[in-house]
Amino acid sequence: MSFFQEPPRLGNQYDEDVLLRSYLERVLPPDLKASLEDEFRELGELSGGYFYEFQLRDRLNEPELTQWNAWGQRVDHIEVSPLWKEAEALTARRGLVAVAYERKSGDRSRVHQFALNYLIQPSLDIYSCPLAMTDGAARTLVSLGDKALVERALPHLTSRDPSTFWTSGQWMTERTGGSDVGLTQTVARRDAEGWKLYGTKWFTSATTAQMALTLARPEGNGEGGKGLALFYVETRGADGRMNGIQINRLKDKLGTRKVPTAELTLDGARAVPVAGLTDGIRNMASMLNVTRTWNAVASAWMMRRGLALARDYAKRRVQFGAPLAQKPLHVDTLAGLEAEFHGGFLLAFRAAELLGRMEAGTATEEELLLQRLVTPLAKLTLGRQTVHVTSEVVEGFGGAGYVEDTGVPRLLADAQVLSIWEGTTNVLSLDALRAMAKGGTLEALDVDARRRLAAAKDAGLRPGVVAVEEALGKARAWVMEAMKDPAGVEAGARRFAL
Ligand code: MFK
Ligand code: FAD
């Protein structure tokens, strides 16, 4: 009789996620958790059922750019995949951005929002990319406080109505540098109509967005990040035509293939300064803060999805007389990955907790310092972890893991971007060093770690406590050594951060 392998299956992604449920039990007040549970369960059901199946069906649909219409007019229209269209409507209805701004869950609103996204996004093919940038733009506009811009854009960015919901782009990277953004060559010129931008943006992911925040150098300004200004740009005018923006091409990428990442020319794009005419990089920092938190949580949900599939498959695949789930070495391999994922998850959600407390105004001084440090640490650590875990997941499926229409290789291809965009591992390691150089940060980390270790000791988790104490001891020794050798500090930044 012919034999056929069984595909992996997913159940309700909330009910099956012991880690998420125990975490929420710990950090959400009981009433709040009870009031959100239906919402979590519904998204868990959609994620493991309808949208997972949709994702597999939608696999070969990719965004398509049409630059010209039949009558010779430049249109630069991008058609996204059917899954992405539905993801946009779902985002608005479920408030996947809005929850953070409505703040109905108080200073747990970020935990609430990221739990929703963690549940559904693994089935939405990186639709999280425009959402992260939309959230980052909303946060930046609110933080910088230009009343007219907030009134214009915020209701759209946080809308729960699909017909009025907007996404935002974040256009920073140019050919001169994605890390060294201070090299930006785009210039801003003022004429009778206002400010207009001229230049090239080399990686712009949310090209279908209705607006973007971007950097440009007002004519006459000095070099570097200080000479840049942060600008608000709407991508199309009231007539639907592009606002002095041309889409040159979509990038042909290793992964994130549903994401329309484009190269743009700005040729007189009308723009509005968001907060003065200098310090663009500093003004963009609150955006990076939010998008890097998204990146960390996205890494966690990607590991979770890979492991959920691998665990299920291990129950179905029989080799050498028993399911893989009964082979001690396979079980040990998955358990190691699971432990790595648990650590990553807790770090990412710690960043989310701190962001929520900062925004709600309930964070202590110590927590504000921690937030600045934990965000790059979470982003860089989880970015690397996810590449490792998804690579092991591919191997856990054997040859099937290497075959595209199982949907498994996509996990690894998509994971690789998480350590590149929003600042590479090295750049974020240097950012973490900068954060640590700020007075009080190391002490805040130390106090926080000691408090957690004491709680873990009380709970009887001795072996784990010893391991963490050893790691902290090494980190302290490294800092002491590093102080003696500044060049060594930079060279060792990644090892230290990880
Ligand atoms: C799945 C979901 C994930 C999300 C998807 C998103 C899709 C992809 C989108 C992108 O990739 S967008 C592009 C992202 N690009 C980056 O993340 C840039 C990476 N490079 C850096 O982060 C560099 O460190 C940086 C450009 C910031 C360095 O530039 P500079 O010119 O050397 O700036 P400097 O002097 O370090 O900082 C300028 C000011 O900003 C300083 O403030 P002051 O003017 O008051 O001194 C800094 O303190 C402040 N600053 C910089 N980084 C900060 C920050 N403040 C707070 N937090 C930070 N992280
Ligand atoms: P480089 O800066 O040239 O880096 C090359 C290498 O040098 C990296 O390994 C880096 O770690 C290392 N390096 C750089 N500086 C240092 C240093 N000081 N010390 C040690 N090592 C260093 N950007 C946007 O603005 N908007 C977008 O929407 C967007 N979407 C993207 C979508 C995708 C799919 C990808 C892949 C990228 C996207 N980016 C976007 C760009 C992304 O943010 C940049 O690619 C990234 O920040 C790295 O910049 P770079 O490509 O110029 O690499």
Side-chain angles (χ1 to χ4, degrees):
M1 199 168 65
S2 297
F3 170 81
F4 295 99
Q5 271 176 250
E6 274 195 59
R9 296 195 192 112
L10 296 172
N12 184 306
Q13 293 300 282
Y14 177 65
D15 288 332
E16 288 185 354
D17 195 331
V18 179
L19 176 64
L20 176 68
R21 283 190 293 115
S22 69
Y23 168 76
L24 294 175
E25 186 81 34
R26 191 157 54 77
V27 300
L28 297 181
D31 288 356
L32 179 60
K33 175 157 180 285
S35 72
L36 300 179
E37 197 127 43
D38 284 350
E39 205 182 347
F40 292 146
R41 189 157 283 120
E42 279 166 28
L43 282 188
E45 192 58 37
L46 285 171
S47 186
Y50 176 80
F51 279 108
Y52 177 54
E53 285 153 27
F54 196 161
Q55 182 181 43
L56 290 173
R57 274 200 315 279
D58 198 61
R59 190 178 62 85
L60 295 175
N61 294 323
E62 295 191 352
E64 274 178 31
L65 169 64
T66 305
Q67 286 172 311
W68 308 94
N69 73 9
W71 311 103
Q73 284 166 317
R74 187 92 197 211
V75 287
D76 286 339
H77 172 73
I78 295 174
E79 189 71 17
V80 295
S81 73
L83 175 63
W84 263 46
K85 286 186 186 153
E86 210 161 312
E88 182 167 310
L90 179 89
T91 294
R93 292 203 183 97
R94 296 284 176 165
L96 297 180
V97 175
V99 161
Y101 296 84
E102 295 163 349
R103 214 170 282 151
K104 289 188 184 146
S105 299
D107 64 4
R108 314 299 207 285
S109 295
R110 283 291 181 185
V111 172
H112 174 185
Q113 179 207 14
F114 279 116
L116 293 175
N117 280 286
Y118 169 88
L119 284 164
I120 192 68
Q121 294 297 345
S123 297
L124 299 184
D125 276 337
I126 322 291
Y127 188 69
S128 48
C129 167
L131 293 195
M133 296 194 274
T134 301
D135 191 344
R139 175 81 254 138
T140 306
L141 291 178
V142 170
S143 301
L144 296 174
D146 181 297
K147 197 162 173 283
L149 290 180
V150 170
E151 277 173 11
R152 167 80 181 146
L154 197 69
H156 291 293
L157 300 174
T158 60
S159 171
R160 279 185 177 256
D161 174 356
S163 69
T164 58
F165 176 64
W166 283 6
T167 53
S168 174
Q170 173 183 3
W171 304 343
M172 295 177 74
T173 305
E174 299 199 357
R175 287 191 296 259
T176 43
S179 304
D180 191 358
V181 180
L183 294 174
T184 292
Q185 291 180 324
T186 296
V187 294
R189 287 191 198 121
R190 191 177 207 159
D191 65 17
E193 294 172 13
W195 287 94
K196 288 187 179 149
L197 309 187
Y198 299 84
T200 305
K201 296 292 172 183
W202 188 233
F203 275 90
T204 59
S205 282
T207 321
T208 47
Q210 287 80 0
M211 61 159 278
L213 294 185
T214 191
L215 295 167
R217 198 174 307 282
E219 266 184 329
N221 272 18
E223 290 181 350
K226 203 159 180 57
L228 295 173
L230 180 61
F231 284 92
Y232 166 91
V233 180
E234 289 188 11
T235 46
R236 291 183 185 267
D239 58 0
R241 311 269 298 262
M242 288 298 260
N243 166 24
I245 301 166
Q246 288 173 359
I247 303 179
N248 301 330
R249 68 167 192 140
L250 294 181
K251 304 245 191 215
D252 183 9
K253 297 171 290 177
L254 167 67
T256 69
R257 294 196 61 97
K258 303 295 168 109
V259 180
T261 305
E263 298 162 12
L264 304 181
T265 298
L266 306 180
D267 186 15
R270 285 184 307 283
V272 181
V274 180
L277 294 176
T278 57
D279 295 300
I281 290 186
R282 185 176 60 202
N283 287 332
M284 204 135 188
S286 53
M287 181 155 200
L288 296 175
N289 223 352
V290 170
T291 46
R292 287 172 183 173
T293 308
W294 272 80
N295 206 89
V297 182
S299 305
W301 73 57
M302 227 182 260
M303 285 192 269
R304 163 74 181 57
R305 173 54 55 91
L307 288 169
L309 291 169
R311 266 197 317 267
D312 183 81
Y313 187 69
K315 288 187 212 144
R316 301 176 191 282
R317 178 66 168 163
V318 174
Q319 292 291 275
F320 301 104
L324 294 172
Q326 289 171 24
K327 296 286 174 191
L329 181 53
H330 194 74
V331 172
D332 184 78
T333 306
L334 291 184
L337 298 172
E338 192 78 23
E340 187 166 357
F341 152 65
H342 280 213
F345 171 100
L346 293 171
L347 181 56
F349 271 89
R350 180 76 177 125
E353 284 165 34
L354 290 166
L355 179 64
R357 288 177 63 77
M358 183 175 84
E359 290 174 340
T362 59
T364 60
E365 277 302 308
E366 186 190 281
E367 285 174 325
L368 292 177
L369 291 168
L370 275 181
Q371 194 279 333
R372 173 69 184 89
L373 176 62
V374 167
T375 306
L377 287 182
K379 194 284 184 189
L380 74 93
T381 306
L382 275 101
R384 290 309 323 163
Q385 281 183 311
T386 309
V387 176
H388 170 237
V389 169
T390 52
S391 165
E392 288 280 6
V393 164
V394 166
E395 189 172 333
F397 276 85
Y402 205 69
V403 173
E404 291 285 0
D405 51 0
T406 63
V408 177
R410 184 189 50 79
L411 288 167
L412 176 58
D414 288 351
Q416 182 64 68
V417 85
L418 296 165
S419 62
I420 298 174
W421 66 15
E422 289 306 336
T424 61
T425 313
N426 280 358
V427 167
L428 287 176
S429 301
L430 295 171
D431 187 56
L433 275 192
R434 266 198 304 265
M436 272 196 299
K438 206 170 161 196
T441 304
L442 264 179
E443 291 75 9
L445 182 65
D446 216 45
V447 169
D448 189 62
R450 282 179 200 284
R451 195 180 301 131
R452 281 158 190 279
L453 286 172
K457 253 182 211 160
D458 289 347
L461 301 171
R462 218 156 222 305
V465 170
V466 171
V468 175
E469 272 173 346
E470 268 174 26
L472 279 174
K474 275 191 202 156
R476 276 189 216 104
W478 189 89
V479 172
M480 300 318 285
E481 270 311 297
M483 301 295 176
K484 299 179 201 153
D485 170 20
V489 175
E490 190 166 329
R494 176 202 276 242
R495 278 187 295 280
F496 177 66
L498 284 169

